[in-house]
Structure formats: structure tokens, C-alpha cells
Amino acid sequence: MSGFEENVAVMGEWVPCNPSSKRVLERELSLNHGQVTSNNNKDSSQTNNISGGGLRERIAARAGFNTPRLNTENIRSNTDSSSLRSPCLTISSPGLSPATLLDSPVFLSNPLAQPSPTTGKFPFLPGVNCNRLSYSDKEKDEFFDGVGASFTFHPVSTSSSSFFQGAGEMTPVDYGNYNNSPSHQSPEEDVKLGSEQSGLKRKSSDATTNTNDHQEVEEGEEEEQRGGDSMVGGGAPAEDGYNWRKYGQKLVKGSEYPRSYYKCTNPNCHVKKKVERSREGHITEIIYKGAHNHSKPPPNRRSGMQVDGTEQAEQQQRQQQRDNAGTWVSSNNTQQQVGSNENNGEEGGQYESGDGYGGVIMVDALSTFSNDEDEDDREGTHGSASLGYDGGGGEGEGDESESKRRKLEAYATEMSGATRAIREPRVVVQTTSDVDILDDGYRLQNSMTLNTLVSSSYYKCTAPGCTVRKHVERASHDLKSVITTYEGKHDHEVPAARNSSHGGNGNSGVSAAQTQHYQEPPRGRFERQLTANNQSQFGRPFSFQPHLGPPSGFAFGLGQTGLGNLSIPGLAFGQGKLPSLPYQYLSQPGGMSEAMMRRGMEPKVEPGSETGQSVSNQIMSRLPQI
DNA sequence: AGCCTTTGACCAGCG
DNA sequence: TCGCTGGTCAAAGGC
């Protein structure tokens, strides 16, 4: 199922390189929590506006994807310590590619964007109304002038595995699935070296066929390290399922790496993509332009596309999801639009349906998606939506956004004091339209997923008139840790299973065993939490106190999500992973520790783990001391 | 033979 | 108008 575990494996690493950055982090840690929490307490419309970081706005405006900008960089053990590596993301998920994302009926919203100088989304920016959808260039300029050099990200070069960067702003948009876990990967990331100039020896690349979770991530990285070969022909990245022809390569100013230009080889498809690869052949940036108006080539014709049992299984799953998805009701505007897009895409051929649902979008902090929106690019109008950093959104803003993006990139470069190789933390967003028949038997819709440290899936019962909501949290690196929170009362009969495949166990990646502790929630307005197998993280099941909160009640923290997924310098893979905790604790002002204490619980720390430390403390403790 | 990459040249947008 | 830059073209060559 393209639910939780299938979707995301994102990793990012970045390290504040100077004391100033630490201060920024501290501010972010302290400020974002509160803010986001408050934001989340607002009604949906409000939060939508807040989220307006732009993606949502543009999505709404354009009803589709157009030019997702995917920035990725895999950071591994860096043998070249002298070279600064950008924060890396590793996405490898068979069938989940940017293209897949384009096809995804559900997308993320800007709130997911990592707050950063380049995203123009600095919730902690003094004097800036964080609820605003966009900021003028002047404001950005002023801001950058103020923040400027102090905001510098330095990539971690020591970790064998990058650490996923969580989304920045997350709004409790409806009932989405906010997945913050490094559990899925996008194929694009696995594209290895295509063809490198500068006498670089061509490697092959690509596609990690994965399954789920960390295993996939790690395998994907291993694949990378092995120089896994999946390049099409001479090196066209094809793990996204499409065939590409390289038509140019150029060293772009300000970029440390050459940029390759690819066109979709389909005669009637004008989709293009730009790929930047590091010297090692790691993709540092992928920018898609346009939407495929055709289906992916048959697997057996996808040169360079690994089609193994895993992928086949996933394809089957996706098909199954498509079959099921039509019966579910979207719970928010965005999703409805997405659904519309989906239909349009299917009917109009704008959206290739190959991957259908679920997907991973890796977004760099500069902009989540590029905004090349000339008419040609909007050929796939149905499936086009441009997502920009500024959240301005609106017709005809593509060029402007692009310009702004470039401008911001320039800023980022300047601020980094080096090159674009120093990238900001990336945000990986997973979107799904999974509809699950949970272990409780009710059909719930999982509308959205965002990746952060903790996967948080929001479900809404699809039964007419039923307002029950369910929130499932899973530890990013331990999917067995599950916390389920109910709101409302389960006032209708449990629908009969529609699909044996779900079999009451379609909890988006939560196995029956993992939900075996399910208990019938009490009637009435409430929230109930349960855990399953969380002993793996804390030695014993959580002892949650009732979480009383607003209806939407699951506070998302911009800060916690982002920071919660930060790669901590000096931490190796595994070490770098923050403790698996319900993000709601991360979202608490003061960090997890404080949140937990307020809840009267004490995190159990596994021997040798750092679980007991608050995220912020952990992060801060590893930052350079001022 | 077909498809792809390579790569220098060309074009267009922008300041 | 000019130079810079990003994007594209297209000939050459490889597989």
C-alpha cells in the first residue's frame, strides 16, 4: 500500500556552520513550536491561509502540478572533507518519483516547506506576519539582509545516511497524513551519475527498488554507494519510469555542478527536466517542467528501470489503491482539487496514472517547485500546478516566481558564503490518497502525508455524516510505534470490508500486529491514544494522558518538524535520527522533554539511545558552541 | 540503424 | 545596446 511505509524515505542533513546559525535554530526551536501550535488551533480556513506558504494557494489556483522542483542530494560518507556537501536527501521509492508525485492525486501544501531564508518562510522572522501568504521581494530582501550570513547551512559529510528533513510549516490541514519519517524514497534520488563533464567517469545510477522504510533507504544509499546502475542508455535517469533524452548540459553559474537537460522521449510529451549532479554523481537537484501527457512506458521497456518483485507489488498496490480511492471522500479542498486533477489527468491524459497514488515530493528549501509556467508548460494544465516558495500563487506568476526563486537562490548562495553546494535542509513531503480500512473496520481517509520525524496520519471517517477523525502517529524510524488518537464517536456500523486486501488491516502500513492494541474509543468527544509495540522505542508502552485539545487538535510544529528531522552533525546514521517520539511532543514549546514532563510522563530511554533528550537539546548540543 | 550522449554554438531574456 | 546567463539546437560520435 502506498501508505505510510511505502512512500517516503527522505533524508537530509545540514549543519549550521556558525554560531549564528545556532541562534537561528534556537529561535526556530523556541518560536516555531508555539506558533505552529497556535496555528493549528485555528480553524481549517485559517490554517489554510497560514499554510499559504504558497503551495496550497497555487495548488488551488492551478489545480495540479506543473513543475515540481526537486532538489536532492545524497550525502554519504564524504571522503572529500574539503568539499562542502549540501544537505542531502535520499529518496528512493520504486515508482515514486517526481513524476509519480505529479500523478499523485493528493499533494502537499506549502506549509510543508521548510522555513528557510529561501523559502521566504521564516515564521520566526521578526516583524513578519507569518500568516501571510507571501512576501514582497523587498521584504525578503530586508529579511535576508537581516538574517543574511547568519543563516548558513552546512552539510554533514560524515553520515553514511542522511537524515530526513522535516517539513517546515505544517498546518493541520484537514485530515492529512503528515509523514515525517524517513521511510520512503523517491526514485529520482537514486539516479546516479549520468554523464559528467570534467572528465568525470560516468557511473551509472539509479533506481533503488525499494520497499519501505529505512531498509529501503539504507539499501538505496548502498545502491548509490555501489554506483548502482539504472541509467538509461548513456545515463538518462529513468527510474521515474519515463524515458528521457539528454539534450544538453551546461555548467550553470552559481552551481558547482553541471546541469543536464532532459526531454521526455515520448513524441508528444514535452516534459523536460533539469538535473544537477555532484561530482560523485549524486543528484543535487531535479527540476521538472511540465506534466507527462502519457503513461509510463511498460516496465519492460523502461530502460534502466528496475522492475523487480517489489515494484510489481507496488504497482499492484497502487492499482488497488486506485480502485479503492474512488470511493473515498476527500476531506479538504486541496484534496478535492487533487481528486479533480486526478480525474482530469486520467481522462485528459494529463496525468500519467502509472503511479497513481502516493508519492514523495522532495522539496528543497529554495522552492518546492519551479514555476515555469509558460503555456507550453501548461499543456498539461490539468495536472499542472506550480508550487512556489513564496506562496504568492496566482496565474501568471510563474515567471515572476521563477525570477524570485533565482533571486532567492542567489541569496542563499550569498548567505552560505560558498556555493549552492551548500544547500538548505530539504523537505520531503509525502502525499497519499490512501483510504484505509483500519483495523477498527471503519473506512477512513488518509488525505495527506508529510514527512517529518514522526509520521502523523490523519484520517477522516468516510461514512456520510460521520465526523470521526483519527490520528495515527508513527515513529519515523520505527513504524511499529503507533499512537492512535480518535476524535468523535464511531455512530454507525462498521462497514463491510470492501476489499479483502485491506482486510481490516489496511492501516497504511500498520500491520495487524502493530495495531493489535486497538481499543474501542469511548463515545463522545474525546481523543484516545494507544500504542502498539512502542516498547521498541521506550522500553514500555507509552502512558499517555488524555490529550485534550481542539477538534483539529493535533498540533503541528513548524519547528519541530523541521528540526526534528534535522541531521545532527556528528551523528552517524542511526545516531542522527532523533528519537522516535510522537511529534506532538516535539511540537511542545520547550521541546519533547518539557512536553513530556508536562504530561507527566517520562520518556524511557533505551540504553545507549538519546531518546531522553529533547530534540532541541540534542540538536543544540551538537551545534557549534558560540 | 536507432537512440543516446557529448558539446560547442546559438538564441532569447534580462539587467 | 551590450554582456551575461540559462536554455536549446544540432552535428558528431558512441553504444
Side-chain angles (χ1 to χ4, degrees), chain A residues 305-624:
Chain A
M305 184 71 172
Q306 293 184 10
V307 180
D308 58 10
T310 300
E311 180 176 349
Q312 292 176 5
E314 290 183 352
Q315 290 175 348
Q316 292 176 356
Q317 288 178 339
R318 294 188 189 104
Q319 181 59 46
Q320 188 171 71
Q321 289 166 1
R322 281 194 293 274
D323 294 341
N324 293 332
T327 63
W328 306 106
V329 179
S330 174
S331 62
N332 61 54
N333 291 337
T334 297
Q335 188 151 18
Q336 288 170 354
Q337 289 172 350
V338 173
S340 175
N341 291 336
E342 172 193 347
N343 292 335
N344 289 339
E346 293 287 338
E347 297 172 2
Q350 296 304 327
Y351 267 132
E352 167 277 338
S353 61
D355 288 321
Y357 308 107
V360 178
I361 295 176
M362 290 201 23
V363 186
D364 75 328
L366 297 182
S367 71
T368 54
F369 295 84
S370 64
N371 283 285
D372 299 330
E373 291 190 46
D374 53 36
E375 291 306 316
D376 289 343
D377 293 338
R378 298 169 71 178
E379 58 196 6
T381 50
H382 298 301
S384 297
S386 82
L387 305 176
Y389 73 92
D390 60 356
E395 293 297 330
E397 189 180 285
D399 293 341
E400 179 183 357
S401 297
E402 175 65 15
S403 176
K404 290 178 180 178
R405 184 182 69 80
R406 292 173 181 170
K407 187 174 183 178
L408 290 177
E409 287 180 348
Y411 274 119
T413 300
E414 292 179 5
M415 289 187 292
S416 69
T419 69
R420 291 178 58 184
I422 301 175
R423 294 177 185 278
E424 300 176 43
R426 308 285 166 69
V427 175
V428 174
V429 177
Q430 169 186 349
T431 63
T432 77
S433 63
D434 291 348
V435 175
D436 297 328
I437 297 177
L438 302 181
D439 53 302
D440 54 11
Y442 290 94
R443 293 168 188 164
L444 302 175
Q445 180 174 11
N446 173 1
S447 63
M448 196 168 180
T449 297
L450 171 119
N451 297 303
T452 58
L453 177 61
V454 176
S455 168
S456 180
S457 300
Y458 281 57
Y459 298 89
K460 178 181 180 181
C461 183
T462 60
C466 181
T467 60
V468 172
R469 299 163 185 175
K470 181 175 181 175
H471 176 203
V472 178
E473 293 175 330
R474 302 181 186 88
S476 296
H477 61 284
D478 184 354
L479 298 179
K480 293 181 180 180
S481 297
V482 179
I483 300 173
T484 303
T485 303
Y486 286 89
E487 181 183 3
K489 65 178 184 179
H490 280 75
D491 58 359
H492 58 86
E493 295 299 322
V494 177
R498 300 181 63 250
N499 189 323
S500 60
S501 65
H502 284 84
N505 184 26
N507 192 6
S508 252
V510 179
S511 67
Q514 291 166 340
T515 57
Q516 60 186 335
H517 299 300
Y518 172 81
Q519 298 176 22
E520 177 69 14
R523 299 289 181 177
R525 186 181 186 78
F526 66 93
E527 290 184 4
R528 182 172 183 133
Q529 298 162 326
L530 67 88
T531 65
N533 297 336
N534 51 40
Q535 296 92 328
S536 62
Q537 294 299 316
F538 298 95
R540 67 177 184 182
F542 289 126
S543 175
F544 287 123
Q545 295 182 357
H547 177 90
L548 300 179
S552 58
F554 310 111
F556 280 100
L558 182 155
Q560 85 277 12
T561 55
L563 293 175
N565 293 280
L566 295 180
S567 172
I568 300 175
L571 291 181
F573 180 62
Q575 284 183 303
K577 291 179 179 179
L578 296 175
S580 170
L581 288 174
Y583 72 43
Q584 61 203 77
Y585 293 99
L586 300 179
S587 68
Q588 298 300 320
M592 288 188 298
S593 297
E594 180 177 337
M596 285 183 164
M597 287 191 288
R598 283 195 279 122
R599 291 170 180 271
M601 64 178 288
E602 182 176 349
K604 294 297 180 181
V605 181
E606 287 184 340
S609 75
E610 297 178 343
T611 306
Q613 275 190 25
S614 71
V615 175
S616 58
N617 288 340
Q618 290 185 45
I619 294 174
M620 303 318 294
S621 66
R622 297 186 182 272
L623 294 176

Side-chain angles (χ1 to χ4, degrees), chain A residues 215-236:
Chain A
Q215 183 175 359
E216 266 84 306
V217 175
E218 295 173 6
E219 289 176 354
E221 291 176 350
E222 290 176 359
E223 178 72 9
E224 282 188 5
Q225 292 171 351
R226 290 195 300 268
D229 185 2
S230 296
M231 283 307 225
V232 175

